[in-house]
Amino acid sequence: MIPRSQPIRSLSRFLGAVCCLMALAGLLTSCTQVNVVNPQTNLELAPAPYFDDTTGIYFPGALGPLFRRPVIELEEKSPGLGLAISYRNPEARIDVFVYDLQASVIPSGTDSEVIRKSFQDALADLQLATSKRIYSQLEVAPPTIHKIGGTAFNHATFQYTEGLVPKQGELYVAGVNSQILKIRTAKRLGSSIDIPRLLAYLGQTIEQSRLAGYGGISNEDFKRISAELGQINLDDGLSANEAISIAQIELVGNKLHNRYDVTRHRIIDPGALPDSATVIFSPYPSNATKPLPPALVSVRKTGRAELLDTQF
Protein backbone atom coordinates (compact mmCIF):
# COMPACT_ATOMS: atom_id res chain seq x y z
CA MET A 1 0.00 0.00 0.00
CA ILE A 2 1.32 3.37 -1.00
CA PRO A 3 1.17 5.83 1.91
CA ARG A 4 -1.00 8.86 1.41
CA SER A 5 0.77 12.15 1.11
CA GLN A 6 0.14 14.90 3.68
CA PRO A 7 -1.94 17.01 1.24
CA ILE A 8 -4.21 14.06 0.50
CA ARG A 9 -4.72 13.39 4.25
CA SER A 10 -5.50 17.07 4.84
CA LEU A 11 -7.97 17.07 1.98
CA SER A 12 -9.62 13.94 3.32
CA ARG A 13 -10.09 15.51 6.76
CA PHE A 14 -11.44 18.67 5.15
CA LEU A 15 -13.98 16.77 3.06
CA GLY A 16 -15.04 14.77 6.11
CA ALA A 17 -15.63 17.97 8.07
CA VAL A 18 -17.63 19.43 5.19
CA CYS A 19 -19.78 16.33 5.04
CA CYS A 20 -20.46 16.56 8.78
CA LEU A 21 -21.38 20.22 8.52
CA MET A 22 -23.69 19.50 5.59
CA ALA A 23 -25.38 16.70 7.50
CA LEU A 24 -25.81 18.94 10.55
CA ALA A 25 -27.18 21.74 8.38
CA GLY A 26 -29.63 19.30 6.82
CA LEU A 27 -30.76 18.16 10.25
CA LEU A 28 -31.29 21.72 11.46
CA THR A 29 -33.17 22.59 8.29
CA SER A 30 -35.42 19.56 8.65
CA CYS A 31 -36.17 20.54 12.28
CA THR A 32 -37.30 24.01 11.31
CA GLN A 33 -39.69 22.50 8.77
CA VAL A 34 -41.54 20.37 11.35
CA ASN A 35 -45.01 21.68 12.24
CA VAL A 36 -44.75 22.59 15.92
CA VAL A 37 -47.90 22.19 18.00
CA ASN A 38 -49.20 25.38 19.60
CA PRO A 39 -47.25 25.61 22.90
CA GLN A 40 -50.46 26.47 24.79
CA THR A 41 -51.86 23.02 24.12
CA ASN A 42 -48.91 21.50 25.94
CA LEU A 43 -49.71 23.37 29.14
CA GLU A 44 -51.72 21.77 31.91
CA LEU A 45 -55.38 22.32 31.08
CA ALA A 46 -57.69 23.71 33.74
CA PRO A 47 -60.69 21.54 34.69
CA ALA A 48 -64.10 22.42 33.30
CA PRO A 49 -66.27 24.75 35.43
CA TYR A 50 -68.16 23.04 38.25
CA PHE A 51 -71.83 23.93 38.64
CA ASP A 52 -73.36 23.85 42.13
CA ASP A 53 -77.10 23.42 41.69
CA THR A 54 -77.94 24.55 45.23
CA THR A 55 -76.51 28.04 44.71
CA GLY A 56 -76.46 28.25 40.94
CA ILE A 57 -72.78 29.23 41.07
CA TYR A 58 -70.34 28.12 38.40
CA PHE A 59 -66.94 27.59 39.98
CA PRO A 60 -64.32 28.09 37.23
CA GLY A 61 -61.62 25.55 36.52
CA ALA A 62 -58.96 28.08 37.51
CA LEU A 63 -58.64 31.41 39.27
CA GLY A 64 -55.70 33.05 37.53
CA PRO A 65 -52.64 30.90 38.32
CA LEU A 66 -54.58 28.76 40.82
CA PHE A 67 -56.00 25.55 39.37
CA ARG A 68 -59.03 23.85 40.88
CA ARG A 69 -58.55 20.49 42.55
CA PRO A 70 -61.27 17.80 42.31
CA VAL A 71 -64.44 18.86 44.13
CA ILE A 72 -64.86 17.06 47.46
CA GLU A 73 -68.43 16.01 48.29
CA LEU A 74 -68.79 16.01 52.07
CA GLU A 75 -72.58 15.73 52.34
CA GLU A 76 -72.92 11.94 52.13
CA LYS A 77 -70.41 11.21 54.89
CA SER A 78 -71.16 14.31 56.97
CA PRO A 79 -74.70 15.63 56.36
CA GLY A 80 -74.81 19.39 56.49
CA LEU A 81 -71.20 19.96 55.38
CA GLY A 82 -71.96 20.23 51.66
CA LEU A 83 -68.91 20.40 49.43
CA ALA A 84 -65.38 21.80 49.33
CA ILE A 85 -63.66 23.39 46.33
CA SER A 86 -59.95 24.23 46.41
CA TYR A 87 -57.80 26.31 44.06
CA ARG A 88 -54.04 25.96 44.56
CA ASN A 89 -50.51 26.42 43.37
CA PRO A 90 -47.22 26.28 45.34
CA GLU A 91 -47.59 29.92 46.46
CA ALA A 92 -51.25 30.27 47.37
CA ARG A 93 -54.63 28.65 47.78
CA ILE A 94 -58.29 29.62 47.88
CA ASP A 95 -60.65 27.15 49.56
CA VAL A 96 -64.42 27.49 49.14
CA PHE A 97 -67.01 25.63 51.24
CA VAL A 98 -70.72 25.47 50.42
CA TYR A 99 -72.92 23.97 53.16
CA ASP A 100 -76.08 24.44 55.27
CA LEU A 101 -75.39 22.61 58.58
CA GLN A 102 -78.80 20.92 57.97
CA ALA A 103 -80.57 24.18 58.82
CA SER A 104 -83.96 24.45 57.09
CA VAL A 105 -83.31 28.02 55.93
CA ILE A 106 -80.05 29.96 55.55
CA PRO A 107 -80.84 33.71 55.41
CA SER A 108 -78.86 35.79 52.96
CA GLY A 109 -76.22 38.26 54.10
CA THR A 110 -74.04 38.50 57.18
CA ASP A 111 -76.24 39.18 60.21
CA SER A 112 -78.31 36.03 60.79
CA GLU A 113 -77.56 33.88 63.81
CA VAL A 114 -76.44 30.86 61.76
CA ILE A 115 -74.04 32.98 59.69
CA ARG A 116 -72.55 34.78 62.67
CA LYS A 117 -71.99 31.45 64.42
CA SER A 118 -70.42 29.94 61.29
CA PHE A 119 -68.03 32.88 61.11
CA GLN A 120 -67.07 32.54 64.77
CA ASP A 121 -66.57 28.79 64.31
CA ALA A 122 -64.25 29.49 61.36
CA LEU A 123 -62.20 31.88 63.49
CA ALA A 124 -62.09 29.26 66.25
CA ASP A 125 -60.72 26.75 63.73
CA LEU A 126 -57.69 29.01 63.28
CA GLN A 127 -57.09 29.02 67.02
CA LEU A 128 -57.55 25.25 67.13
CA ALA A 129 -54.89 24.80 64.44
CA THR A 130 -52.57 26.91 66.57
CA SER A 131 -53.25 24.87 69.71
CA LYS A 132 -52.45 21.73 67.71
CA ARG A 133 -49.20 23.38 66.55
CA ILE A 134 -50.22 23.23 62.91
CA TYR A 135 -49.94 27.03 62.90
CA SER A 136 -47.77 29.27 65.01
CA GLN A 137 -47.52 33.02 65.59
CA LEU A 138 -51.19 33.48 64.62
CA GLU A 139 -52.41 37.07 64.51
CA VAL A 140 -56.04 37.81 63.59
CA ALA A 141 -57.20 41.35 62.79
CA PRO A 142 -60.58 42.63 64.07
CA PRO A 143 -63.49 41.36 61.94
CA THR A 144 -65.10 43.64 59.35
CA ILE A 145 -67.72 43.47 56.61
CA HIS A 146 -66.10 43.15 53.18
CA LYS A 147 -67.62 42.75 49.73
CA ILE A 148 -66.65 40.32 47.01
CA GLY A 149 -68.30 41.80 43.96
CA GLY A 150 -71.68 42.95 45.22
CA THR A 151 -71.92 40.38 48.02
CA ALA A 152 -71.15 41.35 51.61
CA PHE A 153 -69.23 38.87 53.78
CA ASN A 154 -68.13 38.71 57.39
CA HIS A 155 -64.39 39.11 56.94
CA ALA A 156 -61.13 38.80 58.84
CA THR A 157 -57.47 38.90 57.81
CA PHE A 158 -54.80 36.93 59.61
CA GLN A 159 -51.10 36.06 59.55
CA TYR A 160 -49.47 32.87 60.74
CA THR A 161 -46.54 30.54 60.23
CA GLU A 162 -46.99 27.04 58.83
CA GLY A 163 -44.03 24.72 58.52
CA LEU A 164 -41.62 27.62 59.13
CA VAL A 165 -43.19 29.53 56.21
CA PRO A 166 -44.81 32.90 57.08
CA LYS A 167 -48.22 33.25 55.44
CA GLN A 168 -51.15 35.63 55.30
CA GLY A 169 -54.78 34.74 54.82
CA GLU A 170 -58.35 35.95 54.72
CA LEU A 171 -61.65 34.50 55.89
CA TYR A 172 -65.07 35.25 54.40
CA VAL A 173 -68.49 33.91 55.52
CA ALA A 174 -71.98 34.86 54.27
CA GLY A 175 -75.37 33.45 53.41
CA VAL A 176 -75.54 33.18 49.62
CA ASN A 177 -78.48 31.76 47.66
CA SER A 178 -79.81 29.77 50.66
CA GLN A 179 -76.43 28.27 51.57
CA ILE A 180 -73.48 29.18 53.77
CA LEU A 181 -70.53 30.24 51.63
CA LYS A 182 -67.17 30.20 53.42
CA ILE A 183 -63.94 31.22 51.68
CA ARG A 184 -60.45 30.88 53.12
CA THR A 185 -57.37 32.19 51.37
CA ALA A 186 -53.69 31.75 52.13
CA LYS A 187 -50.47 32.77 50.42
CA ARG A 188 -46.79 33.03 51.26
CA LEU A 189 -45.96 36.33 52.87
CA GLY A 190 -44.59 38.62 50.18
CA SER A 191 -46.12 36.68 47.29
CA SER A 192 -47.18 38.85 44.36
CA ILE A 193 -50.37 36.85 43.74
CA ASP A 194 -53.31 39.26 43.83
CA ILE A 195 -55.90 37.38 45.90
CA PRO A 196 -58.58 40.14 45.77
CA ARG A 197 -58.41 40.14 41.98
CA LEU A 198 -58.87 36.36 41.90
CA LEU A 199 -61.78 36.55 44.34
CA ALA A 200 -63.41 39.10 42.04
CA TYR A 201 -63.96 36.26 39.56
CA LEU A 202 -65.95 34.41 42.22
CA GLY A 203 -67.90 37.60 42.86
CA GLN A 204 -68.84 37.69 39.19
CA THR A 205 -70.08 34.10 39.24
CA ILE A 206 -72.20 34.84 42.32
CA GLU A 207 -73.79 37.79 40.54
CA GLN A 208 -74.36 35.64 37.46
CA SER A 209 -76.14 33.00 39.56
CA ARG A 210 -78.62 35.65 40.72
CA LEU A 211 -79.20 36.80 37.16
CA ALA A 212 -79.93 33.14 36.36
CA GLY A 213 -82.74 33.10 38.93
CA TYR A 214 -81.12 31.91 42.17
CA GLY A 215 -81.59 33.78 45.42
CA GLY A 216 -82.34 33.57 49.14
CA ILE A 217 -84.50 35.00 51.89
CA SER A 218 -83.34 38.01 53.90
CA ASN A 219 -82.79 37.71 57.64
CA GLU A 220 -85.64 40.17 58.31
CA ASP A 221 -88.12 38.11 56.27
CA PHE A 222 -86.88 34.93 57.90
CA LYS A 223 -87.59 36.33 61.39
CA ARG A 224 -91.05 37.54 60.33
CA ILE A 225 -92.00 34.21 58.76
CA SER A 226 -90.71 32.31 61.81
CA ALA A 227 -92.91 34.45 64.06
CA GLU A 228 -95.95 33.80 61.85
CA LEU A 229 -95.34 30.06 61.96
CA GLY A 230 -95.55 30.17 65.74
CA GLN A 231 -99.06 31.64 65.55
CA ILE A 232 -100.66 28.87 63.46
CA ASN A 233 -103.82 27.49 65.05
CA LEU A 234 -106.08 25.40 62.81
CA ASP A 235 -108.88 24.79 65.35
CA ASP A 236 -111.13 27.28 63.57
CA GLY A 237 -110.10 26.34 60.04
CA LEU A 238 -107.51 27.73 57.70
CA SER A 239 -106.86 31.45 57.45
CA ALA A 240 -105.06 33.13 54.56
CA ASN A 241 -101.95 33.85 56.62
CA GLU A 242 -101.86 30.30 57.95
CA ALA A 243 -102.18 28.86 54.44
CA ILE A 244 -99.29 31.02 53.25
CA SER A 245 -97.09 30.02 56.22
CA ILE A 246 -97.77 26.32 55.68
CA ALA A 247 -97.12 26.68 51.95
CA GLN A 248 -93.82 28.37 52.72
CA ILE A 249 -92.83 25.39 54.89
CA GLU A 250 -93.64 23.04 52.02
CA LEU A 251 -91.60 25.06 49.54
CA VAL A 252 -88.60 25.06 51.89
CA GLY A 253 -89.04 21.35 52.59
CA ASN A 254 -88.73 20.67 48.88
CA LYS A 255 -85.47 22.68 48.75
CA LEU A 256 -86.95 25.18 46.30
CA HIS A 257 -86.42 28.36 48.29
CA ASN A 258 -83.23 29.02 46.31
CA ARG A 259 -85.32 29.28 43.11
CA TYR A 260 -88.62 30.70 44.40
CA ASP A 261 -89.08 33.81 46.50
CA VAL A 262 -91.14 32.77 49.53
CA THR A 263 -92.10 36.44 50.08
CA ARG A 264 -93.70 36.82 46.62
CA HIS A 265 -96.93 34.89 46.94
CA ARG A 266 -100.72 35.10 46.70
CA ILE A 267 -103.72 32.85 47.21
CA ILE A 268 -105.36 32.11 43.89
CA ASP A 269 -108.64 30.67 45.27
CA PRO A 270 -109.55 32.72 48.38
CA GLY A 271 -113.16 31.51 48.17
CA ALA A 272 -112.04 28.01 49.20
CA LEU A 273 -111.01 29.22 52.66
CA PRO A 274 -111.26 28.11 55.45
CA ASP A 275 -111.26 24.56 54.05
CA SER A 276 -108.33 24.83 51.64
CA ALA A 277 -106.20 27.19 49.63
CA THR A 278 -103.72 27.14 46.78
CA VAL A 279 -100.75 29.45 47.18
CA ILE A 280 -98.70 30.54 44.17
CA PHE A 281 -95.04 31.57 44.49
CA SER A 282 -93.03 33.53 41.92
CA PRO A 283 -89.54 32.45 40.86
CA TYR A 284 -86.63 34.79 41.45
CA PRO A 285 -86.15 37.24 38.56
CA SER A 286 -84.13 35.67 35.76
CA ASN A 287 -82.63 36.61 32.43
CA ALA A 288 -83.01 33.02 31.24
CA THR A 289 -84.69 32.48 27.88
CA LYS A 290 -87.03 29.97 29.56
CA PRO A 291 -87.71 31.10 33.14
CA LEU A 292 -89.26 28.81 35.71
CA PRO A 293 -93.05 28.62 35.93
CA PRO A 294 -94.66 29.68 39.23
CA ALA A 295 -94.77 27.12 42.04
CA LEU A 296 -98.17 26.05 43.36
CA VAL A 297 -98.76 24.63 46.84
CA SER A 298 -102.11 23.19 47.90
CA VAL A 299 -102.95 23.52 51.61
CA ARG A 300 -105.86 21.87 53.47
CA LYS A 301 -107.42 22.88 56.76
CA THR A 302 -105.71 19.91 58.45
CA GLY A 303 -102.38 21.56 57.75
CA ARG A 304 -101.47 19.05 55.05
CA ALA A 305 -99.64 20.65 52.12
CA GLU A 306 -98.71 19.37 48.68
CA LEU A 307 -96.47 20.82 46.02
CA LEU A 308 -98.37 20.67 42.73
CA ASP A 309 -96.64 19.67 39.51
CA THR A 310 -95.93 22.77 37.43
CA GLN A 311 -93.36 21.19 35.10
CA PHE A 312 -90.26 22.63 36.81
Side-chain angles (χ1 to χ4, degrees):
M1 181 180 293
I2 300 174
R4 292 182 181 180
S5 65
Q6 182 67 28
I8 293 176
R9 286 196 296 269
S10 299
L11 178 61
S12 176
R13 287 196 295 268
F14 174 78
L15 291 176
V18 169
C19 290
C20 291
L21 289 173
M22 290 178 65
L24 180 59
L27 178 60
L28 291 175
T29 302
S30 65
C31 288
T32 59
Q33 292 174 346
V34 173
N35 292 325
V36 180
V37 178
N38 187 331
Q40 291 183 346
T41 63
N42 293 326
L43 299 176
E44 181 184 7
L45 296 178
Y50 175 82
F51 178 71
D52 173 44
D53 59 6
T54 60
T55 59
I57 298 174
Y58 276 96
F59 291 94
L63 295 176
L66 308 184
F67 278 50
R68 199 191 70 231
R69 298 293 182 88
V71 176
I72 301 175
E73 298 282 353
L74 302 171
E75 190 65 25
E76 290 188 5
K77 292 185 178 180
S78 302
L81 293 189
L83 56 88
I85 302 168
S86 184
Y87 298 87
R88 303 183 189 180
N89 75 2
E91 280 190 52
R93 63 188 292 170
I94 295 176
D95 298 320
V96 185
F97 304 89
V98 182
Y99 58 103
D100 63 9
L101 298 177
Q102 292 190 296
S104 57
V105 176
I106 303 294
S108 297
T110 61
D111 58 349
S112 67
E113 181 178 352
V114 65
I115 295 300
R116 288 198 303 269
K117 185 178 186 305
S118 295
F119 182 61
Q120 292 302 320
D121 288 345
L123 290 174
D125 287 341
L126 298 176
Q127 300 293 344
L128 181 61
T130 303
S131 66
K132 291 183 176 181
R133 298 185 179 180
I134 300 172
Y135 299 161
S136 63
Q137 300 178 332
L138 175 68
E139 297 180 9
V140 182
T144 61
I145 300 297
H146 188 83
K147 285 188 175 182
I148 298 178
T151 303
F153 285 80
N154 290 301
H155 173 252
T157 60
F158 53 95
Q159 291 190 10
Y160 62 105
T161 298
E162 183 179 17
L164 302 179
V165 178
K167 296 182 178 181
Q168 59 188 47
E170 294 181 89
L171 175 66
Y172 299 83
V173 179
V176 176
N177 299 357
S178 301
Q179 294 285 291
I180 301 168
L181 191 64
K182 178 173 74 173
I183 303 171
R184 272 190 55 176
T185 75
K187 70 175 185 177
R188 293 174 181 268
L189 201 62
S191 168
S192 61
I193 291 179
D194 190 347
I195 294 292
R197 183 179 66 84
L198 302 184
L199 291 178
Y201 294 126
L202 283 180
Q204 292 172 5
T205 62
I206 293 172
E207 292 303 313
Q208 186 60 41
S209 73
R210 290 168 179 156
L211 291 175
Y214 286 79
I217 188 171
S218 69
N219 191 42
E220 292 75 17
D221 286 330
F222 172 72
K223 290 180 178 179
R224 176 178 55 78
I225 291 172
S226 297
E228 291 171 352
L229 290 175
Q231 298 175 5
I232 293 178
N233 184 347
L234 301 178
D235 292 342
D236 55 352
L238 188 68
S239 70
N241 287 339
E242 289 168 337
I244 289 170
S245 294
I246 294 170
Q248 288 167 330
I249 296 173
E250 185 68 13
L251 199 68
V252 170
N254 281 274
K255 300 294 185 182
L256 291 173
H257 55 297
N258 64 338
R259 303 305 308 274
Y260 290 90
D261 187 346
V262 296
T263 67
R264 296 173 62 203
H265 50 66
R266 63 182 175 87
I267 294 177
I268 62 175
D269 54 350
L273 292 170
D275 295 323
S276 64
T278 300
V279 182
I280 184 170
F281 293 93
S282 299
Y284 284 106
S286 169
N287 62 356
T289 55
K290 189 178 179 181
L292 288 175
L296 301 177
V297 179
S298 173
V299 184
R300 300 189 179 279
K301 65 180 179 181
T302 59
R304 183 175 179 272
E306 180 183 4
L307 183 66
L308 302 180
D309 184 11
T310 54
Q311 299 179 353
F312 58 88

